[in-house]
Amino acid sequence: MLKRTLLQTLITGTILAATSLGALAQMAFDGPTTGPKAAEGKTIVVLAGDLKNGGILGVTTGIEEAAAKIGWEVKVLDGAGSVQSRSAAVGQALALGPAGIVINGFDAAEQQAALEGVTAAGIPMVSWHSGPKIGCDAPGGIFANVSTDAMQVSDVAAKWAIDDAGGKPGVVIFTDSTYQIAIDKADRMKAAIEAAGGTVLEYVDTPIAETSTRMGPLTTTLLQKYGATWTHSLAINDLYFDFMGPSLAAAGIDGKGAPKAGSAGDGSEAAFQRIRTGQYQAVTVAEPLNLQGWQLVDELNRAISGEACSGYVTAPALVTEEGLSKTEGNAFDPDNGYRAAYAAIWGK
């Protein structure tokens, strides 16, 4: 299996360097170099967990871009952040009879019964963030679950908070128990903070799909409860910080003041903009979302062609204001030739 170890190499007693975003962006593509030629004239369906989520949207955009290159048609069905809508989307996908399905940004276990129908129909499935097992042969009949190493991402986010606070952070962790991977990431951050001698003030389980209504009043309540002891916020997704700023501003807190926010995933455009402008988010541990969209198309092409999963795992990058000052754009999109590499594999 191909697996990135760069992040482990860069973390040597301090957090990933602020220039790491640029460094990672310029490294040569280390993914697959061989594979099946393009299966011609296919239609695939993307089951998006919630297109309001910047990570899911970024991956969807990458899938659409890659599909245009390989010559496939893409139909995107939005699960709109609810279990019921995602279940309906699986049914719609089955009715369309596609050549393949991409599960994008929700736990496959949530839709186990519905997805058994996909497996029974012989439709290959690949996924992005569908569960804790990444890479080939994920549970639920999934050919490949594309993701960075979620535990590595959590470690980097926690270590940032520990180092930024001089070893004694007072942390509120935000997660969503709808997703097993979210629980695993939050538990990992909690363990890292406590092992370093920091304090987890509160472990908040609140649905990602309801952040727009919940995070404002929740932030105000937490400020009243913990005051200055709340030094850092850690969340399993950038979306939690989309709606905290107004409450923090109303409390007279500067955009770069405490509690400082760091996200253990995904690296949304909104998060990049907040970090770049110093507005209520200090860091995110970003994934190369567009690249992962291309990888999903490549893995699905391998599944359709009856060949093995590539086993490629992408590396994340710690995004800071300093790092962004050396780059352009509001996405971690490595300039490493991945588009040309995948096109060459497909004969395009």
Side-chain angles (χ1 to χ4, degrees), residues 231-257:
T231 66
H232 291 78
S233 300
L234 291 174
I236 53 88
N237 189 283
D238 291 308
L239 199 61
Y240 285 97
F241 303 134
D242 284 1
F243 306 101
M244 287 183 73
S247 294
L248 294 170
I253 295 171
D254 182 77
K256 294 185 180 181

Side-chain angles (χ1 to χ4, degrees), residues 3-335:
K3 184 163 182 175
R4 292 295 292 257
T5 58
L6 175 63
L7 200 60
Q8 293 170 319
T9 302
L10 288 173
I11 300 173
T12 54
T14 59
I15 61 170
L16 196 63
T19 55
S20 60
L21 176 67
L24 281 167
Q26 299 301 320
M27 292 190 70
F29 180 59
D30 65 345
T33 57
T34 61
K37 298 302 180 186
E40 297 293 339
K42 302 300 181 181
T43 297
I44 64 171
V45 171
V46 177
L47 298 174
D50 186 353
L51 288 173
K52 295 190 297 295
N53 181 307
I56 293 171
L57 180 60
V59 170
T60 300
T61 299
I63 292 169
E64 291 173 330
E65 183 183 278
K69 186 65 178 180
I70 202 171
W72 292 355
E73 182 180 356
V74 179
K75 297 183 183 298
V76 179
L77 303 178
D78 186 4
S82 78
V83 174
Q84 294 79 7
S85 293
R86 289 191 285 266
S87 182
V90 176
Q92 286 179 261
L94 263 173
L96 290 168
I101 288 174
V102 182
I103 299 166
N104 186 2
F106 63 92
D107 198 326
E110 171 200 289
Q111 298 293 332
Q112 181 177 351
L115 293 175
E116 285 175 356
V118 176
T119 303
I123 301 171
M125 290 185 288
V126 298
S127 64
W128 183 77
H129 288 210
S130 68
K133 184 181 187 302
I134 61 174
C136 306
D137 300 319
I142 294 169
F143 180 76
N145 180 33
V146 171
S147 174
T148 53
D149 184 332
M151 298 302 98
Q152 196 175 64
V153 168
S154 297
D155 288 345
V156 174
K159 198 168 194 314
W160 161 76
I162 293 162
D163 288 359
D164 190 67
K168 297 291 184 181
V171 182
V172 174
I173 296 174
F174 298 93
T175 191
D176 182 351
S177 61
T178 304
Y179 307 97
Q180 183 61 48
I181 189 62
I183 298 170
D184 293 345
K185 288 170 70 175
D187 287 350
R188 181 80 167 215
M189 289 189 287
K190 182 176 185 291
I193 294 295
E194 292 176 341
T199 302
V200 176
L201 300 170
E202 195 155 330
Y203 184 102
V204 180
D205 179 8
T206 189
I208 291 176
E210 298 176 19
T211 51
S212 62
T213 57
R214 287 182 178 236
M215 287 307 295
L218 181 55
T219 300
T220 300
T221 298
L222 290 167
L223 283 171
Q224 292 169 346
K225 187 174 182 180
Y226 297 112
T229 62
W230 181 14
T231 66
H232 291 78
S233 300
L234 291 174
I236 53 88
N237 189 283
D238 291 308
L239 199 61
Y240 285 97
F241 303 134
D242 284 1
F243 306 101
M244 287 183 73
S247 294
L248 294 170
I253 295 171
D254 182 77
K256 294 185 180 181
K260 296 181 181 179
S263 172
D266 298 317
S268 69
E269 183 175 346
F272 271 60
Q273 186 62 26
R274 284 193 293 273
I275 295 165
R276 187 184 294 280
T277 57
Q279 291 297 308
Y280 302 107
Q281 186 166 352
V283 303
T284 185
V285 185
E287 299 188 71
L289 302 172
N290 203 78
L291 187 163
Q292 290 173 328
W294 280 70
Q295 183 185 351
L296 285 160
V297 170
D298 181 67
E299 300 291 6
L300 199 48
N301 187 55
R302 292 168 189 269
I304 290 169
S305 303
E307 298 203 15
C309 161
S310 77
Y312 179 45
V313 179
T314 53
L318 180 68
V319 180
T320 67
E321 184 179 359
E322 182 182 351
L324 284 176
S325 71
K326 300 174 176 67
T327 64
E328 296 181 358
N330 286 323
F332 172 37
D333 188 16
D335 185 19

